Amino acid sequence: MRIIKRKTLKDFWNIYPNAESPLKSWFYEAKNSDWKSPADIKEKYRNASILKNQRVVFNIRGNSYRLVVKIEYSLGIIFIRFLGTHKEYDKINVEEI
């Protein structure tokens, strides 16, 4: 999978250093995956939330942080749409970002 944009992850872990290792793990696992459907994601990430509009929410570092992505399965592209604390996540409309 191609992930756009990794800089979002780096910027986040510069602010929250304890997120670096889990985000790097997620990045390398996602990059080396070939997800064709939400079922492929649920196979690896049972706690991921599959939402409308091709959105998926990943819990990072024991649900301390939330990563929201949009996945274009046919193109093999993951777009990072949001990365933040659980409190920040509660303030967004995840299906519209």
Side-chain angles (χ1 to χ4, degrees):
M1 303 291 292
R2 183 172 170 216
I3 301 170
I4 300 174
K5 100 187 203 184
R6 185 173 186 218
K7 185 178 183 314
T8 303
L9 303 179
K10 289 180 180 181
D11 291 346
F12 190 80
W13 75 54
N14 284 333
I15 297 168
Y16 300 98
N18 62 357
E20 182 175 2
S21 180
L23 286 171
K24 281 183 175 179
S25 294
W26 176 87
F27 178 84
Y28 290 112
E29 288 172 7
K31 180 181 173 191
N32 293 308
S33 295
D34 186 26
W35 295 329
K36 299 293 185 196
S37 71
D40 293 339
I41 295 169
K42 288 299 266 186
E43 203 172 286
K44 172 73 179 170
Y45 296 97
R46 294 176 194 253
N47 291 329
S49 299
I50 308 299
L51 305 175
K52 296 178 188 176
N53 298 328
Q54 301 172 305
R55 303 298 199 272
V56 180
V57 180
F58 294 94
N59 298 320
I60 304 295
R61 197 177 172 267
N63 205 20
S64 295
Y65 308 111
R66 295 280 179 102
L67 171 64
V68 180
V69 300
K70 178 179 180 183
I71 302 177
E72 293 290 343
Y73 296 98
S74 62
L75 301 175
I77 300 175
I78 299 170
F79 297 93
I80 296 173
R81 306 299 295 161
F82 172 84
L83 177 58
T85 65
H86 202 285
K87 186 175 181 179
E88 293 167 333
Y89 171 84
D90 289 341
K91 296 178 182 177
I92 64 166
N93 183 338
V94 70
E95 293 176 1
E96 292 183 6
I97 61 164

